[in-house]
Amino acid sequence: MSPEAIVTQAQQTECAGITYTYTEPTIFMEIAHDTAKIANSKGMFNTFVTNGYMTPEAVDYIAPFLDAASINLKGSANKEFMQRYMDVPKSEPIYNSMVRMKEKGIFIEITNLIIPEIGDHGDDTGTLAEWVVENLGPRTPLHIIAFSPTFKITGLPRTPARMLEKHIKIAKEAGLTFVYSGNIGGHDYENTYCPECGFKAIERYAVYLKKNHLNDQGRCPKCNADLNIQGVRWMGEGTSRLKFF
Ligand SMILES: [Zn+2]
């Protein structure tokens, strides 16, 4: 499909935006860029789900058209784990990308896959969370997600809920406000709780939104606290960036 055809199909199916994912988007950066540029000009949002392993030039290339990015880490970015299981020689470019994206006004969320036995590094979760607090801010959403055996790693068990909860606790103690569980449908940490008054502001089940209680400004309906939720308000043709609710 051409970039034009992708955007046209997204419009025809009334999508508010396009996410570049499943295959790492930097693999097809040129077509992502050209598609995002057209989508942006039509008032749609663009988001990446990425491993974050990119050059500063790549970040700058996509930044004018990229509204948000989910940076996917694994094994709490433990150096030995990344070298052995991901063929990532060094993780510095990923951290540099996140800082540069933040500087460019791209909304960032981070995902961290916890894998039993080989990718269950509590100390590294603490180090990662501290880095996020310091460099991206304490309100940056962090998703601690469960592994399930597939493809080349079939000899390990699914990540148990208590293991995720251990890492969530560590990340919260390091100062992060919004830490979520992932890949365990029905887990309480899928929901967004207001850090000020404790109200359950957004209810989710797995990848589904069950109830959104946010007020018209995208804030807590009970105490009006800002929950750092980015949402799309359809502003019509010619608008570009993600707007608050
Ligand atoms: Zn509240």
Side-chain angles (χ1 to χ4, degrees), residues 21-32:
T21 181
Y22 289 101
T23 300
E24 163 60 37
T26 51
I27 297 293
F28 55 96
M29 182 59 114
E30 293 81 3
I31 199 166

Side-chain angles (χ1 to χ4, degrees), residues 193-199 201 219-225 227:
Y193 287 92
C194 174
E196 300 296 327
C197 75
F199 184 73
R219 290 164 170 262
C220 174
K222 294 285 178 198
C223 75
N224 206 38
L227 304 181

Side-chain angles (χ1 to χ4, degrees), residues 3 25-37 48 61-62:
T26 51
I27 297 293
F28 55 96
M29 182 59 114
E30 293 81 3
I31 199 166
H33 170 274
D34 293 354
T35 306
K37 188 175 181 180
F48 267 19
Y61 181 58
I62 195 66

